[in-house]
């Protein structure tokens, strides 16, 4: 069955995204039975429940200058390109084996300023190319009351 819908859970930070990602990742097999693929992607060979870093790698400008990439050792164009090829292969191979019709990714970084208009166009182009041109792309945002959000940020700092 071809992919008909892609859902991008875009955060924002401090809105329960980490918990959501862990639950989605832990329940991947059950989701697949329901026709939803939450892809198992890796970063330098280790599985990640949060797709932010691999999405940043695929779609943002100059990811090798991003602090998260540097922290994970993806600090050169060559290392970034190698990780990008790995991520694309992982997504494509999981789609080929998948019999459902919905892809679900969670990357709260999509809600950040790294995702300019060109990055968002790259996302749409990428997914229409690897699935089909009729795919529906939806964004799922989670937000938090500012009166609770800012104290949480301050507490984290």
């Amino acid at each position: 069955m071809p992919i008909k819908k892609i859902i991008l859970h875009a955060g924002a930070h401090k809105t329960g995204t980490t918990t959501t990602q862990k639950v989605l990742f832990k329940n991947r097999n059950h989701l697949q039975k329901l026709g939803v693929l939450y892809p198992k992607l890796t970063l330098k060979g280790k599985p990640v429940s949060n797709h932010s870093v691999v999405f940043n790698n695929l779609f943002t400008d100059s990811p090798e200058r991003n602090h998260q990439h540097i922290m994970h050792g993806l600090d050169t164009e060559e290392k970034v390109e190698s990780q990008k090829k790995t991520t694309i292969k992982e997504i494509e191979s999981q789609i080929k084996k998948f019999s459902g019709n919905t892809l679900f990714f969670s990357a709260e970084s999509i809600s950040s300023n790294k995702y300019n208009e060109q990055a968002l166009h790259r996302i749409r182009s990428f997914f229409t190319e690897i699935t089909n041109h009729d795919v529906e792309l939806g964004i799922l945002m989670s937000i938090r009351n500012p009166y609770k959000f800012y104290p949480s940020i301050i507490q984290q700092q």
Side-chain angles (χ1 to χ4, degrees):
M1 179 182 299
I3 302 296
K4 302 262 188 217
K5 182 186 281 188
I6 299 171
I7 300 169
L8 302 176
H9 174 235
H13 294 281
K14 307 304 293 173
T15 60
T17 51
T18 300
T19 300
T20 301
Q21 292 156 347
K22 287 179 180 179
V23 169
L24 289 166
F25 191 81
K26 183 179 177 182
N27 292 287
R28 289 177 61 251
N29 291 337
H30 183 67
L31 288 168
Q32 282 191 32
K33 290 175 189 171
L34 298 173
V36 178
L37 175 64
Y38 189 75
K40 181 179 181 181
L41 302 179
T42 62
L43 180 62
K44 295 180 73 179
K46 295 181 182 175
V48 292
S49 58
N50 178 350
H51 297 140
S52 287
V53 175
V54 292
F55 262 54
N56 294 348
N57 193 47
L58 289 174
F59 305 118
T60 64
D61 298 323
S62 305
E64 70 279 356
R65 289 192 243 151
N66 177 289
H67 74 280
Q68 284 185 318
H69 280 73
I70 293 168
M71 200 170 69
H72 289 290
L74 299 172
D75 52 359
T76 66
E77 289 182 23
E78 294 79 21
K79 291 176 184 176
V80 164
E81 193 58 36
S82 175
Q83 177 64 48
K84 188 180 288 190
K85 288 177 183 175
T86 298
T87 301
I88 291 169
K89 284 180 189 174
E90 289 173 343
I91 293 170
E92 289 177 337
S93 74
Q94 289 177 64
I95 288 173
K96 283 180 186 172
K97 297 174 192 170
F98 179 58
S99 60
N101 64 6
T102 303
L103 288 175
F104 194 113
F105 294 90
S106 182
E108 67 263 53
S109 65
I110 295 172
S111 66
S112 74
N113 61 1
K114 289 181 258 191
Y115 282 81
N116 56 26
E117 190 173 344
Q118 293 84 6
L120 296 174
H121 282 293
R122 283 190 286 264
I123 291 172
R124 175 167 276 302
S125 296
F126 174 77
F127 285 114
T128 55
E129 287 298 317
I130 66 167
T131 56
N132 65 64
H133 294 282
D134 295 328
V135 71
E136 177 186 336
L137 183 59
I139 305 280
L140 176 63
M141 286 292 299
S142 48
I143 56 173
R144 189 172 180 181
N145 181 317
Y147 291 108
K148 294 184 179 180
F149 175 78
Y150 289 109
S152 179
I153 290 287
I154 291 168
Q155 187 177 26
Q156 182 181 12
Q157 299 301 320

